[in-house]
Amino acid sequence: MTHPHNDHVAGLGDLADLCYWNNVNTEVVGAPEVISELTERFPYLAKRKGLTFKGTLKWDSGETTITFHKVNHGFNGHSYGIVVHQKQGERWAYVSDSFNVTKEQWQPFYHLDLLIFGTSFWKEYLQKEKRSVYDVTEAMEIKAKLQARNMVFTHLSHDIDIRKHAEMLSDENVSFAYDGREILLP
């Protein structure tokens, strides 16, 4: 979990039901403050069979280590970017909601094989002090700055016409997420 905003966590009740009815155990992992807020907001979920919560900034699972890194979320406070380190050397990240990220906060996100990045608009014209995510044009500059090999945009709003805007992307290693898309990771 990157942060406890409703557009990211409102489906936890449905997830708990799926786990229960399918007899599947699922661990919800996030920064301690995120997990704490989730279990306070949804206390009934912390007691559900099949669903457990773990607050940590580093989580190991066999060949994979996941780390959580606090980033500014503009007007909406902060969020956590997630970096996935594979034992064979690949690194990718998910930064769903960010804006006005500091140079220090960007440090864990340099030289990624893949950056999955949240952006809502092609070009955002709202005053900077009221914004909460980068637009696509800014995100393209971030890709270059971080030297990410590939980038996929997610968290898209009604402003993004995937067919039209995909043709406008200036980098063949940048694309949009869409329903049903699968990305194979090591």
Side-chain angles (χ1 to χ4, degrees), residues 143-160:
K143 177 190 182 288
K145 176 171 83 171
L146 298 179
Q147 299 175 32
R149 195 165 359 142
N150 299 288
M151 188 176 223
V152 175
F153 296 129
T154 188
H155 204 285
L156 307 172
S157 77
H158 61 280
D159 178 66
I160 302 294

Side-chain angles (χ1 to χ4, degrees), residues 73-77 99 128-132:
H73 186 358
F75 182 73
N76 286 332
F99 191 70
K128 289 198 183 261
E129 58 274 1
K130 293 186 178 182
R131 292 183 52 200
S132 59

Side-chain angles (χ1 to χ4, degrees), residues 90-149:
E90 289 89 359
R91 289 178 59 247
W92 63 275
Y94 173 56
V95 182
S96 65
D97 291 42
S98 64
F99 191 70
N100 284 335
V101 175
T102 67
K103 184 177 180 179
E104 180 181 276
Q105 291 173 336
W106 280 129
Q107 287 307 309
F109 304 101
Y110 278 88
H111 306 289
L112 296 164
D113 295 295
L114 171 65
L115 175 57
I116 301 171
F117 196 79
T119 183
S120 295
F121 297 93
W122 182 264
K123 183 69 179 162
E124 175 72 76
Y125 295 102
L126 192 64
Q127 302 141 326
K128 289 198 183 261
E129 58 274 1
K130 293 186 178 182
R131 292 183 52 200
S132 59
V133 295
Y134 291 103
D135 66 31
V136 171
T137 62
E138 294 163 328
M140 295 289 288
E141 294 171 10
I142 290 167
K143 177 190 182 288
K145 176 171 83 171
L146 298 179
Q147 299 175 32
R149 195 165 359 142

